[in-house]
Amino acid sequence: MEATVSYSQNIMDDEYEKFIRRMNPPRVVIDNESCKNATVIQVDSANKHGILLEVVQILTDLNLIITKAYICSDGGWFMDVFNVTNQEGNKITEEPILDYIMKSLGPDSCFASSMRRSVGVTTGMDHTSIELIGSDRPGLLSEVSAVLTNLRCNVVNAEVWTHNTRAAAIMQVTDEENGGAVSDPERLTMVKKLLCNVLRGSNKSRDAKTLVSPGVTHTERRLHQLMFADRDYERAMGDGSDDKERPNVNVVNWQDKDYSVVTIRCKDRPKLLFDTICTLTDMQYVVFHGNVDTEGPEAYQEYCIRHIDGSPVKSDAERQRVIQCLEAAIERRVSEGLKLELCTTDRVGLLSDVTRIFRENSLTVTRAEVTTRAGKALNTFYVSDSSGYPVDAKIIESVRQTIGQTILRVKGNPEELNPVQQESPTRFLFGGLFKSRSFCNFGLVRSYS
């Protein structure tokens, strides 16, 4: 009976949203004239909880940099202005991108659909999605990848984040034999069981979770949700973190307007706005007014918020929780360690082989993004020394010699590495470097830059 009522309510909500949308279709204006160094995108629409995140998510997914934003969603109308550039800091002039923005945010879009039904989940029959959360440790990715490889699962897309001793990952895997989704129930049960054992390791005090589903999520949105639910924002007493390096987040109540005002100052980086808006939305807060400015190396964000129940922050405990959660959201994507980029022909077990070499050279992966496109593996790894010391340039060169210096490149500070005579990567490419597949260990991750 409850399921029937819920289904009927969803239908009513859909029809009401369609009616409101017909009466007040979204209006999008893209202006390349009024601002000297950015494209100005104005979005007007009927207001609804979560619309701000939907718009920011669409712009972020296009790898656009939001340099300024003016947010106003008081009352029944949503009016936001975004100054955006491409990755090179130039205006957006490519017609396909401009057309996509208009179609995604304009009258024919679906971005205003209910957030209850748009957590980022879409169906797909070409792969199986695996969500992981557990305690982080050196070698964890190696063990996870070994399990998947031995179960004949090929990782085609994945992303992994680590923060505050926790690790979360979302991977899209296919059946090695047919290249499609893994459909055998017994095999999926075994995947979940073995991965949970790996994630749990020797730490029995914290839960490890594995979820397998026949669809995909919006990876970054879901990673935030996984780590938030895992309470990665809770810091142990005396954790040794440097307060000077942490984001400056403050929350005060504006009594006259019945708002809570959130201010954030931190080092600017791509997708910062998405991370903060995502967290506020998932914590059930509504942004009524906001101002974002990222000119220069520091980003400044200010939001007037209320809880979805209409109240501002009610207690000091709630205020501290908002601060901690926003700090964690900002820090999760901060890439510590040396950046390595790998580009080569894809093959089964490639990720396991690559990250196995990292592990054997005492390198731990703090964050990684990997994808496969048209038969090519395009991977980004952030690695650090497992013992906490700076990464040794000689170790990096040894790793590059093993994998192939034209295949694995150092990004960020390549001048610190001494040139070494290049060796042939033939053994690596054809998998002959390893005695058997059972030795292929860790690789896990996805590209999304």
Side-chain angles (χ1 to χ4, degrees):
M1 180 64 180
E2 291 181 2
T4 303
V5 172
S6 177
Y7 178 73
S8 299
Q9 184 64 47
N10 284 341
I11 293 178
M12 292 176 62
D13 289 346
D14 281 338
E15 292 303 317
Y16 179 73
E17 289 175 17
K18 291 177 183 177
F19 172 74
I20 294 298
R21 196 173 180 78
R22 287 194 299 268
M23 297 298 294
N24 302 283
R27 185 172 72 94
V28 180
V29 177
I30 300 178
D31 178 8
N32 262 324
E33 302 298 329
S34 60
C35 182
K36 180 180 179 181
N37 53 9
T39 298
V40 180
I41 301 175
Q42 179 177 326
V43 182
D44 298 342
S45 173
N47 194 19
K48 187 175 183 65
H49 177 56
I51 286 183
L52 175 60
L53 175 58
E54 294 275 353
V55 174
V56 171
Q57 181 173 301
I58 287 171
L59 297 177
T60 303
D61 285 350
L62 288 170
N63 286 325
L64 302 181
I65 305 297
I66 300 175
T67 59
K68 290 180 181 290
Y70 307 93
I71 299 163
C72 181
S73 58
D74 221 342
W77 200 251
F78 167 86
M79 295 178 289
D80 289 359
V81 179
F82 303 91
N83 287 18
V84 303
T85 68
N86 59 19
Q87 294 286 322
E88 289 72 39
N90 302 318
K91 293 183 179 183
I92 313 304
T93 57
E94 296 86 348
E95 287 299 327
I97 296 179
L98 296 176
D99 289 343
Y100 180 84
I101 293 173
M102 289 296 296
K103 291 177 180 178
S104 298
L105 301 180
D108 298 329
S109 71
C110 59
F111 81 92
S113 62
S114 170
M115 290 299 295
R116 291 190 302 274
R117 298 182 300 282
S118 62
V119 185
V121 178
T122 57
T123 58
M125 300 303 294
D126 59 341
H127 64 264
T128 298
S129 180
I130 301 176
E131 298 177 357
L132 308 171
I133 186 77
S135 296
D136 186 30
R137 66 178 186 275
L140 175 62
L141 305 185
S142 172
E143 297 171 31
V144 167
S145 183
V147 168
L148 293 173
T149 300
N150 290 333
L151 291 173
R152 306 185 312 281
C153 296
N154 186 38
V155 179
V156 292
N157 291 300
E159 184 160 346
V160 63
W161 291 356
T162 61
H163 177 251
N164 195 20
T165 76
R166 304 300 285 170
I170 295 180
M171 297 179 289
Q172 297 171 8
V173 302
T174 59
D175 190 318
E176 180 184 325
E177 295 180 0
N178 58 34
V182 180
S183 57
D184 181 9
E186 292 185 2
R187 192 163 156 206
L188 291 175
T189 299
M190 183 62 68
V191 168
K192 292 177 63 176
K193 178 180 178 181
L194 294 180
L195 288 181
C196 270
N197 290 339
V198 169
L199 289 166
R200 190 174 295 112
S202 60
N203 188 349
K204 306 300 182 182
S205 62
R206 293 292 296 269
D207 288 338
K209 297 179 182 178
T210 303
L211 176 65
V212 178
S213 63
V216 296
T217 66
H218 184 275
T219 302
E220 293 165 319
R221 172 88 191 275
R222 187 60 183 149
L223 283 170
H224 275 302
Q225 292 174 334
L226 287 172
M227 301 199 90
F228 172 73
D230 191 56
R231 304 172 74 90
D232 76 313
Y233 52 84
E234 294 181 340
R235 295 180 182 273
M237 294 297 294
D239 63 357
S241 60
D242 188 349
D243 289 344
K244 294 181 179 179
E245 296 297 324
R246 289 164 62 179
N248 184 345
V249 182
N250 192 28
V251 180
V252 296
N253 280 358
W254 185 6
Q255 302 295 345
D256 292 344
K257 298 294 184 180
D258 210 25
Y259 291 127
S260 292
V261 180
V262 177
T263 56
I264 301 171
R265 293 184 184 274
C266 64
K267 184 178 180 181
D268 188 30
R269 60 164 174 76
K271 303 184 181 181
L272 177 64
L273 178 59
F274 170 82
D275 294 337
T276 55
I277 295 297
C278 179
T279 297
L280 287 172
T281 302
D282 286 338
M283 293 182 72
Q284 299 295 299
Y285 290 101
V286 179
V287 176
F288 289 89
H289 301 280
N291 179 40
V292 176
D293 190 346
T294 64
E295 289 189 354
E298 185 179 74
Y300 175 78
Q301 300 180 12
E302 181 181 77
Y303 305 111
C304 295
I305 68 169
R306 294 187 190 127
H307 194 267
I308 197 170
D309 64 8
S311 64
V313 173
K314 299 176 182 178
S315 66
D316 186 62
E318 182 182 356
R319 185 179 74 87
Q320 289 297 328
R321 185 168 182 264
V322 171
I323 291 173
Q324 289 177 338
C325 290
L326 286 172
E327 287 177 347
I330 294 168
E331 293 171 347
R332 287 171 194 145
R333 204 195 291 266
V334 174
S335 303
E336 299 179 355
L338 186 68
K339 183 178 180 180
L340 302 176
E341 292 186 353
L342 181 143
C343 179
T344 188
T345 301
D346 187 40
R347 61 172 172 80
V348 175
L350 175 64
L351 296 183
S352 296
D353 294 351
V354 171
T355 48
R356 173 183 179 268
I357 295 171
F358 291 163
R359 187 190 63 176
E360 290 181 341
N361 284 273
S362 299
L363 298 177
T364 184
V365 178
T366 59
R367 187 167 77 87
E369 308 166 345
V370 173
T371 191
T372 53
R373 298 176 184 170
K376 287 286 186 180
L378 307 171
N379 308 347
T380 301
F381 302 95
Y382 294 87
V383 300
S384 61
D385 185 90
S386 298
S387 302
Y389 296 105
V391 177
D392 191 330
K394 293 181 180 179
I395 290 178
I396 295 298
E397 285 307 303
S398 175
V399 169
R400 294 185 66 211
Q401 280 187 306
T402 302
I403 295 176
Q405 292 191 344
T406 60
I407 294 174
L408 185 68
R409 298 181 181 275
V410 180
K411 298 294 181 179
N413 296 303
E415 66 278 0
E416 297 178 2
L417 303 177
N418 297 322
V420 179
Q421 184 177 356
Q422 182 173 329
E423 291 186 358
S424 171
T426 304
R427 292 183 303 159
F428 178 78
L429 286 173
F430 288 95
L433 185 60
F434 307 99
K435 294 181 180 179
S436 71
R437 176 164 297 174
S438 63
F439 288 105
C440 298
N441 289 334
F442 85 73
L444 160 69
V445 285
R446 164 185 185 262
S447 173
Y448 195 71
S449 302

